[in-house]
Amino acid sequence: MGATKTEIFNPTQNELASVAKVLAHPARVAILQYISKQEGCICNDLVDVIGLSQPTISQHLNEIKKIGLLKGTFEGKNLCYCIHKEKWAELQQLFHAFFTTINQNCC
Amino acid sequence: MGATKTEIFNPTQNELASVAKVLAHPARVAILQYISKQEGCICNDLVDVIGLSQPTISQHLNEIKKIGLLKGTFEGKNLCYCIHKEKWAELQQLFHAFFTTINQNCC
DNA sequence: ACATATCATCGTAATATTGCAATATTACTT
DNA sequence: AAGTAATATTGCAATATTACGATGATATGT
Protein backbone atom coordinates (compact mmCIF):
# COMPACT_ATOMS: atom_id res chain seq x y z
CA MET A 1 0.00 0.00 0.00
CA GLY A 2 1.04 3.58 0.45
CA ALA A 3 1.47 4.52 -3.18
CA THR A 4 -1.12 6.43 -5.17
CA LYS A 5 -3.11 4.12 -7.47
CA THR A 6 -2.73 6.20 -10.61
CA GLU A 7 -3.84 3.36 -12.86
CA ILE A 8 -7.45 3.57 -11.77
CA PHE A 9 -7.82 7.22 -12.81
CA ASN A 10 -8.04 8.82 -16.22
CA PRO A 11 -5.20 10.84 -17.80
CA THR A 12 -6.86 14.18 -17.17
CA GLN A 13 -7.31 13.45 -13.50
CA ASN A 14 -3.72 12.31 -13.18
CA GLU A 15 -2.33 15.29 -15.06
CA LEU A 16 -4.29 17.79 -13.05
CA ALA A 17 -3.20 16.08 -9.86
CA SER A 18 0.46 16.07 -10.81
CA VAL A 19 0.43 19.75 -11.74
CA ALA A 20 -1.36 20.53 -8.50
CA LYS A 21 1.33 18.58 -6.69
CA VAL A 22 3.96 20.95 -8.03
CA LEU A 23 1.98 23.91 -6.72
CA ALA A 24 1.36 22.12 -3.44
CA HIS A 25 4.46 23.49 -1.75
CA PRO A 26 4.78 27.14 -0.70
CA ALA A 27 8.44 27.22 -1.73
CA ARG A 28 7.51 26.38 -5.30
CA VAL A 29 4.72 28.94 -5.31
CA ALA A 30 7.19 31.51 -3.97
CA ILE A 31 9.78 30.57 -6.57
CA LEU A 32 7.30 31.01 -9.41
CA GLN A 33 6.11 34.33 -8.03
CA TYR A 34 9.64 35.59 -7.61
CA ILE A 35 10.74 34.60 -11.08
CA SER A 36 7.72 36.29 -12.56
CA LYS A 37 8.47 39.56 -10.77
CA GLN A 38 11.89 39.83 -12.38
CA GLU A 39 12.26 41.78 -15.56
CA GLY A 40 14.16 39.10 -17.43
CA CYS A 41 15.61 35.75 -16.63
CA ILE A 42 16.53 34.97 -13.07
CA CYS A 43 20.06 33.93 -12.45
CA ASN A 44 21.13 33.09 -8.95
CA ASP A 45 19.69 34.73 -5.88
CA LEU A 46 16.89 32.27 -5.17
CA VAL A 47 18.63 30.71 -2.18
CA ASP A 48 18.83 34.06 -0.39
CA VAL A 49 15.35 35.12 -1.43
CA ILE A 50 13.50 31.97 -0.42
CA GLY A 51 15.49 31.01 2.64
CA LEU A 52 16.07 27.35 2.03
CA SER A 53 19.38 25.63 1.39
CA GLN A 54 20.86 25.39 -2.08
CA PRO A 55 20.19 21.65 -2.50
CA THR A 56 16.60 22.10 -1.41
CA ILE A 57 16.01 24.96 -3.85
CA SER A 58 17.62 22.89 -6.57
CA GLN A 59 15.22 20.06 -5.88
CA HIS A 60 12.19 22.34 -5.94
CA LEU A 61 13.34 23.86 -9.22
CA ASN A 62 13.62 20.37 -10.60
CA GLU A 63 10.03 19.57 -9.68
CA ILE A 64 8.89 22.69 -11.52
CA LYS A 65 11.09 21.84 -14.50
CA LYS A 66 9.66 18.33 -14.72
CA ILE A 67 6.25 19.61 -15.75
CA GLY A 68 7.85 21.95 -18.28
CA LEU A 69 7.13 25.23 -16.54
CA LEU A 70 10.68 26.58 -16.76
CA LYS A 71 12.83 27.22 -19.75
CA GLY A 72 16.33 28.50 -20.15
CA THR A 73 19.81 27.14 -20.17
CA PHE A 74 20.47 24.63 -17.46
CA GLU A 75 24.19 24.14 -17.85
CA GLY A 76 27.27 25.73 -16.49
CA LYS A 77 27.70 28.69 -14.27
CA ASN A 78 25.01 31.33 -14.02
CA LEU A 79 22.11 29.12 -14.88
CA CYS A 80 19.38 31.32 -16.24
CA TYR A 81 15.75 30.43 -16.55
CA CYS A 82 12.30 31.88 -16.73
CA ILE A 83 8.72 30.77 -16.97
CA HIS A 84 7.71 28.93 -20.12
CA LYS A 85 4.85 31.08 -21.37
CA GLU A 86 3.11 28.53 -23.54
CA LYS A 87 3.18 25.84 -20.88
CA TRP A 88 2.01 28.31 -18.30
CA ALA A 89 -0.98 29.26 -20.46
CA GLU A 90 -1.72 25.59 -21.03
CA LEU A 91 -1.81 24.83 -17.33
CA GLN A 92 -3.87 27.92 -16.62
CA GLN A 93 -6.37 26.60 -19.13
CA LEU A 94 -6.29 23.15 -17.54
CA PHE A 95 -7.19 24.57 -14.15
CA HIS A 96 -9.72 26.96 -15.59
CA ALA A 97 -11.46 24.10 -17.37
CA PHE A 98 -11.52 22.08 -14.17
CA PHE A 99 -12.97 24.90 -12.13
CA THR A 100 -15.64 25.78 -14.67
CA THR A 101 -16.79 22.27 -15.60
CA ILE A 102 -17.57 21.63 -11.99
CA ASN A 103 -21.18 22.71 -11.77
CA GLN A 104 -22.59 23.09 -8.33
CA ASN A 105 -26.27 22.30 -8.85
CA CYS A 106 -27.24 21.50 -5.33
CA CYS A 107 -28.33 22.60 -1.89
CA MET B 1 13.81 17.97 9.03
CA GLY B 2 11.25 16.55 6.66
CA ALA B 3 8.45 18.93 7.43
CA THR B 4 7.52 21.86 5.24
CA LYS B 5 8.80 25.15 6.65
CA THR B 6 5.51 27.03 6.40
CA GLU B 7 6.71 29.79 8.69
CA ILE B 8 9.08 31.27 6.13
CA PHE B 9 6.35 31.82 3.54
CA ASN B 10 3.52 34.32 3.41
CA PRO B 11 -0.15 33.42 4.03
CA THR B 12 -1.10 33.60 0.36
CA GLN B 13 1.67 31.23 -0.63
CA ASN B 14 0.72 28.82 2.12
CA GLU B 15 -2.98 28.94 1.31
CA LEU B 16 -2.47 28.37 -2.37
CA ALA B 17 -0.14 25.49 -1.60
CA SER B 18 -2.57 23.85 0.78
CA VAL B 19 -5.45 24.09 -1.68
CA ALA B 20 -3.21 22.70 -4.41
CA LYS B 21 -2.34 19.86 -2.06
CA VAL B 22 -5.99 18.87 -1.91
CA LEU B 23 -6.14 18.78 -5.70
CA ALA B 24 -2.82 16.93 -5.84
CA HIS B 25 -4.39 13.49 -5.74
CA PRO B 26 -6.33 12.02 -8.67
CA ALA B 27 -8.87 10.43 -6.33
CA ARG B 28 -9.82 13.84 -4.97
CA VAL B 29 -10.04 15.30 -8.45
CA ALA B 30 -12.23 12.36 -9.45
CA ILE B 31 -14.42 12.77 -6.38
CA LEU B 32 -15.00 16.45 -7.10
CA GLN B 33 -15.78 15.75 -10.74
CA TYR B 34 -18.19 13.00 -9.83
CA ILE B 35 -20.05 15.03 -7.25
CA SER B 36 -20.41 17.87 -9.71
CA LYS B 37 -21.94 15.62 -12.35
CA GLN B 38 -24.78 14.60 -10.05
CA GLU B 39 -28.00 16.52 -10.14
CA GLY B 40 -28.29 17.01 -6.43
CA CYS B 41 -26.43 15.86 -3.36
CA ILE B 42 -24.42 12.71 -3.54
CA CYS B 43 -25.26 10.05 -1.05
CA ASN B 44 -23.32 6.84 -1.08
CA ASP B 45 -21.91 5.29 -4.22
CA LEU B 46 -18.46 6.89 -4.19
CA VAL B 47 -16.67 3.72 -3.09
CA ASP B 48 -17.96 1.81 -6.13
CA VAL B 49 -17.39 4.73 -8.50
CA ILE B 50 -13.84 5.55 -7.52
CA GLY B 51 -12.56 2.08 -6.76
CA LEU B 52 -10.82 2.64 -3.47
CA SER B 53 -11.76 1.22 -0.10
CA GLN B 54 -14.32 2.90 2.08
CA PRO B 55 -11.82 4.14 4.70
CA THR B 56 -9.61 5.57 1.97
CA ILE B 57 -12.51 7.42 0.36
CA SER B 58 -13.49 8.69 3.77
CA GLN B 59 -10.01 10.09 4.29
CA HIS B 60 -9.99 11.80 0.91
CA LEU B 61 -13.40 13.31 1.59
CA ASN B 62 -12.03 14.62 4.84
CA GLU B 63 -9.16 16.37 3.08
CA ILE B 64 -11.65 18.07 0.78
CA LYS B 65 -13.86 18.98 3.71
CA LYS B 66 -10.96 20.53 5.59
CA ILE B 67 -10.63 23.35 3.10
CA GLY B 68 -14.38 23.93 3.16
CA LEU B 69 -15.20 22.65 -0.31
CA LEU B 70 -18.03 20.37 0.76
CA LYS B 71 -21.22 21.15 2.57
CA GLY B 72 -24.04 18.99 3.87
CA THR B 73 -24.53 16.62 6.76
CA PHE B 74 -21.56 14.50 7.66
CA GLU B 75 -22.87 12.12 10.29
CA GLY B 76 -24.88 8.94 10.42
CA LYS B 77 -26.24 6.83 7.65
CA ASN B 78 -26.84 8.20 4.16
CA LEU B 79 -24.43 11.02 4.43
CA CYS B 80 -25.31 13.67 1.87
CA TYR B 81 -23.09 16.43 0.66
CA CYS B 82 -22.28 18.59 -2.31
CA ILE B 83 -19.85 21.23 -3.40
CA HIS B 84 -19.87 24.49 -1.50
CA LYS B 85 -20.47 27.01 -4.27
CA GLU B 86 -19.12 30.10 -2.56
CA LYS B 87 -15.93 28.39 -1.44
CA TRP B 88 -15.48 26.90 -4.87
CA ALA B 89 -15.75 30.33 -6.48
CA GLU B 90 -13.31 31.72 -3.94
CA LEU B 91 -10.70 29.09 -4.73
CA GLN B 92 -11.24 29.50 -8.44
CA GLN B 93 -10.49 33.19 -7.96
CA LEU B 94 -7.39 32.36 -5.88
CA PHE B 95 -5.96 30.23 -8.67
CA HIS B 96 -7.01 32.65 -11.35
CA ALA B 97 -5.23 35.46 -9.55
CA PHE B 98 -2.11 33.36 -9.19
CA PHE B 99 -2.05 32.42 -12.84
CA THR B 100 -2.65 35.95 -14.08
CA THR B 101 -0.32 37.84 -11.73
CA ILE B 102 2.53 35.73 -12.94
CA ASN B 103 3.80 37.78 -15.84
CA GLN B 104 6.19 36.07 -18.15
CA ASN B 105 8.33 38.94 -19.40
CA CYS B 106 11.31 37.03 -20.57
CA CYS B 107 13.06 35.01 -23.21
C1' DA C 1 -34.56 -5.19 20.32
C1' DC C 2 -31.92 -6.91 16.61
C1' DA C 3 -29.86 -6.99 12.24
C1' DT C 4 -28.19 -4.29 8.56
C1' DA C 5 -26.32 -0.40 6.03
C1' DT C 6 -23.40 3.58 6.03
C1' DC C 7 -19.80 6.37 7.36
C1' DA C 8 -15.93 7.51 10.82
C1' DT C 9 -11.87 6.29 13.40
C1' DC C 10 -7.83 3.60 14.81
C1' DG C 11 -3.82 1.19 13.91
C1' DT C 12 -0.39 0.05 10.88
C1' DA C 13 2.40 -0.93 6.66
C1' DA C 14 4.19 0.93 2.46
C1' DT C 15 5.67 4.73 0.00
C1' DA C 16 6.58 9.67 -0.90
C1' DT C 17 8.17 14.20 0.33
C1' DT C 18 11.04 17.59 2.57
C1' DG C 19 15.35 19.37 3.95
C1' DC C 20 20.22 19.54 4.50
C1' DA C 21 25.34 18.22 4.81
C1' DA C 22 28.68 16.45 2.00
C1' DT C 23 30.33 15.90 -2.31
C1' DA C 24 30.46 16.13 -7.33
C1' DT C 25 30.11 18.50 -11.55
C1' DT C 26 30.42 22.30 -14.66
C1' DA C 27 32.09 26.50 -16.56
C1' DC C 28 34.40 30.63 -16.14
C1' DT C 29 38.66 33.19 -14.72
C1' DT C 30 43.35 33.95 -13.94
C1' DA D 1 46.40 24.09 -14.71
C1' DA D 2 44.61 25.73 -10.65
C1' DG D 3 41.17 28.35 -8.30
C1' DT D 4 36.54 29.85 -7.79
C1' DA D 5 31.55 30.33 -8.24
C1' DA D 6 27.15 28.19 -9.39
C1' DT D 7 24.35 24.32 -9.70
C1' DA D 8 23.47 19.20 -9.37
C1' DT D 9 23.63 14.79 -7.09
C1' DT D 10 23.93 11.62 -3.29
C1' DG D 11 22.74 9.88 1.04
C1' DC D 12 20.22 10.15 4.94
C1' DA D 13 16.95 11.50 8.74
C1' DA D 14 12.48 13.41 9.78
C1' DT D 15 7.94 13.81 8.53
C1' DA D 16 3.79 13.26 5.61
C1' DT D 17 0.72 10.71 2.67
C1' DT D 18 -1.72 6.78 0.93
C1' DA D 19 -4.20 2.70 1.56
C1' DC D 20 -6.68 -0.81 3.96
C1' DG D 21 -8.35 -4.18 7.67
C1' DA D 22 -10.55 -4.05 11.95
C1' DT D 23 -13.51 -1.84 14.76
C1' DG D 24 -16.80 1.72 16.40
C1' DA D 25 -20.76 4.73 15.98
C1' DT D 26 -25.22 6.04 14.16
C1' DA D 27 -29.42 5.58 11.71
C1' DT D 28 -32.95 2.83 9.40
C1' DG D 29 -35.77 -1.31 8.60
C1' DT D 30 -38.01 -5.53 10.36
Side-chain angles (χ1 to χ4, degrees), chain B residues 15-101:
Chain B
E15 200 200 345
L16 208 136
S18 62
V19 173
K21 195 176 278 189
V22 172
L23 303 180
H25 196 291
R28 294 191 288 263
V29 172
I31 287 171
L32 287 167
Q33 286 176 335
Y34 180 74
I35 294 179
S36 86
K37 273 193 307 191
Q38 304 311 109
E39 269 311 306
C41 286
I42 185 186
C43 285
N44 55 26
D45 43 3
L46 267 183
V47 173
D48 297 327
V49 172
I50 304 292
L52 291 170
S53 75
Q54 181 268 322
T56 304
I57 294 290
S58 188
Q59 274 185 109
H60 282 307
L61 279 171
N62 207 258
E63 295 299 311
I64 304 175
K65 269 186 250 166
K66 277 198 286 191
I67 58 166
L69 261 182
L70 294 180
K71 74 174 176 183
T73 49
F74 299 108
E75 293 135 83
K77 190 183 163 184
N78 277 1
L79 154 62
C80 289
Y81 44 80
C82 53
I83 290 173
H84 191 299
K85 298 181 196 193
E86 290 78 10
K87 190 70 186 177
W88 185 262
E90 183 189 321
L91 297 188
Q92 176 167 26
Q93 172 56 30
L94 183 70
F95 272 86
H96 183 259
F98 174 67
F99 274 105
T100 51
T101 48

Side-chain angles (χ1 to χ4, degrees), chain A residues 28-80:
Chain A
R28 294 191 287 262
V29 172
I31 287 172
L32 286 167
Q33 286 176 335
Y34 180 74
I35 294 180
S36 86
K37 272 193 306 190
Q38 304 311 109
E39 269 311 307
C41 286
I42 184 186
C43 284
N44 54 26
D45 44 1
L46 268 181
V47 173
D48 297 327
V49 172
I50 305 293
L52 292 170
S53 74
Q54 181 268 324
T56 305
I57 294 290
S58 187
Q59 276 183 108
H60 282 307
L61 279 171
N62 207 257
E63 294 299 311
I64 303 175
K65 271 187 247 167
K66 277 198 286 191
I67 58 166
L69 260 184
L70 293 180
K71 74 175 175 183
T73 49
F74 296 108
E75 295 136 78
K77 192 182 162 185
N78 275 1
L79 157 61
C80 290

